[in-house]
Amino acid sequence: MMKVNLTQRIWLSFIAIIVLVGLTVIIVYPISIRGTLTEETYRIIEEEQAQLVNPLSDYFTPPESDDLDFIERREAERSVGHVFVTENETVSGEPRPPAEVEKEMLENAGNQNAERERYELTFNDATLFYVITKVESDGEEAFQISYMWDTYRDTMVNRLWTRLVYILLITSVVSLLPAIWLKRYLRQPLRVLGNRFEQIAERNWREPFNWKGDQDFQKLSEQFERMRQNLIRYDNSQKTFIQHASHELKTPIMVVKSYAQSVKDGILPKKDMEKTMDVIIDEANRMDKRVRDMLYYTKLDSLKTEAIEYEEIIFGKLAYAIEERFRLQRSDIRFYIEGASVRMYADAEHMRVLLENLVENALRYAEDSIWIKAVKHPDGRVEITVENNGENINEEELEYIFTPFRKGNKGQFGLGLAIVSQIAELHEASKEAANTDTGVRFTITLPAENEIDTQKTEA
């Protein structure tokens, strides 16, 4: 398939339009115009015939000759000739048609039943139109035959055709002007936009793009500007992610290396081998958790364009399993689980990770109690809360609490709540962190099941 650029497409489109119009004119014109002018020719004949017949009463006098013979009348555009035929086929009127023409006229008159009929015949490579009308002369039936050559029709067709050709040529030339204007109109903003895309390809997206002018191109430039800003934010977030990840992994790696080197040198930093190896294992576990969190966070980001697996989950089954897992980490903490029978519609694996991160966060700050609660509202929404009775969060920090790598007041690794935020967004759920009179509460509100079905259908 031949590839063409925008300019070629514009020219081809205009040429195609001109050719299409020209072909339409060539095909339709002979049919419509010639038919119309033929009808007009018969109308002229009938008018001339009526003007001649109306003044007559019981008799008629054959019309006087206008000094044009039968053939000469062909050169006169609107000349109408008349002849009269009596019942005994006596022909009067000047000029008289040739014998063969007259014979056909008489045969048609004899066979005619209607008061008036239209006929045409070909004579000397020309068309003769004639109308036969029944009249009375001295009480006898007679026929008036009025005829006219096709000169008028053909002359008018040729005149209109010539003018139409001139108009078509002029229109074709004039149509080049909007084609040139359209080419310039489209190419300039597209060239500018293409240059900006090349800059984006080179990762140079610092210069803003704002097109002033046509509304459609202005809208396109606004969409491009939003894309540019999103790319900047994404690039910054990626750089920040790598910087924070490197920083978070650097400390445990240094600890493991230093302790391993000390053991190799025969030095035990923690007095005995068991405690020294415990430190190495703890730091390795910390690295393992951080790497898994980073991988899971990246996975959640990629899942935004994919459908997640919804299923019915019993809240209590999930909550009690998490309690069993975390209660050994702090024996002084007491867990309170409410709404164990609540059923919700979500991805089971994601909800497990969400609750684990909320509970793990609460363990760091709780004094002695953690509440895990689920409530189903009448409209079908399910509200999940994890609350602890630790100290309140600084109000300035609440706004950024779900931001990746944001550390709490105990300097803990900052991806847990960011993962909670990502999972909530995947489920079209709302999230909130708030201080209470006794501590801090995190709330996740899942949409109703029918709302999830609607969203999946729209997607």
Side-chain angles (χ1 to χ4, degrees):
M1 183 178 179
M2 183 179 64
K3 295 182 179 180
V4 294
N5 57 33
L6 179 63
T7 302
Q8 293 170 333
R9 288 180 186 275
I10 293 173
W11 286 116
L12 288 174
S13 298
F14 274 88
I15 292 173
I17 292 173
I18 293 171
V19 171
L20 182 62
V21 171
L23 290 174
T24 303
V25 169
I26 292 172
I27 295 173
V28 174
Y29 179 80
I31 299 174
S32 61
I33 301 301
R34 290 178 68 88
T36 301
L37 291 176
T38 298
E39 181 68 24
E40 176 67 11
T41 300
Y42 279 119
R43 189 188 64 81
I44 293 172
I45 295 172
E46 290 169 352
E47 284 185 355
E48 291 286 336
Q49 192 179 68
Q51 290 177 3
L52 182 65
V53 172
N54 283 342
L56 301 178
S57 53
D58 295 332
Y59 64 93
F60 64 86
T61 303
E64 298 180 359
S65 172
D66 52 6
D67 298 327
L68 292 175
D69 65 17
F70 182 78
I71 301 299
E72 288 176 342
R73 287 182 180 275
R74 181 180 174 187
E75 305 302 323
E77 289 185 9
R78 299 186 59 166
S79 176
V80 179
H82 306 275
V83 295
F84 298 89
V85 181
T86 61
E87 192 174 22
N88 58 7
E89 296 188 355
T90 300
V91 179
S92 53
E94 294 292 338
R96 291 186 60 174
E100 55 188 292
V101 175
E102 184 177 296
K103 179 180 178 181
E104 182 174 334
M105 288 180 173
L106 291 175
E107 289 178 358
N108 289 331
N111 297 328
Q112 179 173 307
N113 295 320
E115 182 179 351
R116 176 182 294 168
E117 288 285 352
R118 295 175 176 180
Y119 304 92
E120 68 177 79
L121 59 85
T122 303
F123 182 75
N124 287 352
D125 298 326
T127 300
L128 180 71
F129 302 103
Y130 61 95
V131 176
I132 300 177
T133 302
K134 290 182 179 181
V135 295
E136 284 191 8
S137 174
D138 296 329
E140 297 181 355
E141 187 180 70
F143 298 94
Q144 180 183 2
I145 303 176
S146 302
Y147 59 87
M148 181 177 175
W149 289 99
D150 61 358
T151 306
Y152 168 73
R153 184 192 68 176
D154 292 346
T155 301
M156 291 299 296
V157 168
N158 292 333
R159 286 176 182 174
L160 291 174
W161 177 254
T162 302
R163 293 177 183 177
L164 196 58
V165 170
Y166 286 146
I167 292 173
L168 188 61
L169 291 175
I170 294 172
T171 303
S172 301
V173 174
V174 173
S175 66
L176 298 179
L177 298 177
I180 295 172
W181 173 83
L182 183 60
K183 182 196 73 172
R184 295 178 179 272
Y185 169 75
L186 293 177
R187 288 190 66 183
Q188 183 180 1
L190 291 177
R191 185 184 292 113
V192 173
L193 188 61
N195 293 335
R196 291 305 176 90
F197 277 121
E198 289 182 2
Q199 293 178 4
I200 292 293
E202 298 295 330
R203 298 180 64 85
N204 177 18
W205 45 56
R206 297 299 172 183
E207 185 179 353
F209 179 57
N210 293 302
W211 178 271
K212 300 297 182 182
D214 184 87
Q215 184 177 0
D216 293 328
F217 283 119
Q218 186 170 337
K219 183 178 179 180
L220 183 62
S221 72
E222 292 171 356
Q223 294 170 339
F224 180 87
E225 179 64 16
R226 286 198 299 271
M227 180 193 72
R228 185 188 70 86
Q229 293 174 1
N230 287 334
L231 285 173
I232 292 174
R233 283 193 293 267
Y234 181 78
D235 185 59
N236 291 335
S237 66
Q238 289 295 307
K239 291 177 180 178
T240 303
F241 185 88
I242 293 173
Q243 290 171 358
H244 282 290
S246 301
H247 177 73
E248 293 297 334
L249 293 174
K250 182 179 180 180
T251 301
I253 289 174
M254 289 180 61
V255 171
V256 170
K257 285 179 64 178
S258 62
Y259 271 65
Q261 186 64 46
S262 298
V263 172
K264 184 178 180 181
D265 295 337
I267 301 172
L268 299 179
K270 291 296 183 179
K271 297 182 180 180
D272 58 52
M273 180 64 71
E274 185 176 354
K275 290 182 179 180
T276 300
M277 297 307 295
D278 286 341
V279 172
I280 294 176
I281 292 172
D282 289 342
E283 292 300 325
N285 289 335
R286 287 177 61 192
M287 280 192 294
D288 179 63
K289 184 180 186 309
R290 292 173 184 182
V291 170
R292 283 190 286 107
D293 283 346
M294 285 187 288
L295 291 175
Y296 192 81
Y297 182 79
T298 305
K299 175 185 175 183
L300 289 175
D301 192 53
S302 66
L303 283 176
K304 289 181 179 179
T305 58
E306 301 176 6
I308 59 177
E309 297 295 331
Y310 284 94
E311 61 180 286
E312 188 178 66
I313 305 169
I314 300 175
F315 178 73
K317 183 178 179 180
L318 193 61
Y320 285 120
I322 292 173
E323 177 200 10
E324 185 69 22
R325 179 180 175 186
F326 285 101
R327 67 181 177 180
L328 296 178
Q329 293 187 15
R330 285 187 61 182
S331 58
D332 59 323
I333 295 292
R334 185 172 181 181
F335 287 86
Y336 298 91
I337 297 176
E338 300 178 27
S341 61
V342 170
R343 296 176 182 268
M344 54 189 180
Y345 200 58
D347 186 292
E349 176 62 20
H350 290 335
M351 292 308 299
R352 180 186 64 78
V353 175
L354 181 144
L355 276 177
E356 283 180 355
N357 280 279
L358 289 177
V359 172
E360 185 177 19
N361 180 78
L363 279 173
R364 295 194 198 105
Y365 305 102
E367 291 184 4
D368 55 25
S369 299
I370 294 177
W371 291 267
I372 307 174
K373 182 180 179 181
V375 177
K376 191 162 190 176
H377 294 280
D379 59 4
R381 292 179 300 116
V382 176
E383 185 177 275
I384 300 172
T385 59
V386 176
E387 184 176 348
N388 68 82
N389 61 347
E391 72 177 280
N392 288 157
I393 302 173
N394 191 315
E395 291 294 334
E396 295 178 357
E397 292 291 329
L398 278 176
E399 183 179 353
Y400 307 100
I401 196 70
F402 294 104
T403 304
F405 297 104
R406 198 78 179 185
K407 293 182 181 295
N409 56 12
K410 293 187 179 181
Q412 295 296 321
F413 186 59
L415 264 186
L417 293 180
I419 290 175
V420 170
S421 176
Q422 288 276 53
I423 294 175
E425 290 180 10
L426 283 175
H427 288 76
E428 302 290 337
S430 62
K431 59 185 182 294
E432 181 187 17
N435 291 318
T436 65
D437 294 337
T438 57
V440 178
R441 180 176 60 242
F442 289 88
T443 305
I444 306 295
T445 305
L446 297 171
E449 183 175 344
N450 60 339
E451 294 178 5
I452 294 173
D453 292 337
T454 302
Q455 293 164 4
K456 289 170 67 176
T457 302
E458 293 176 352

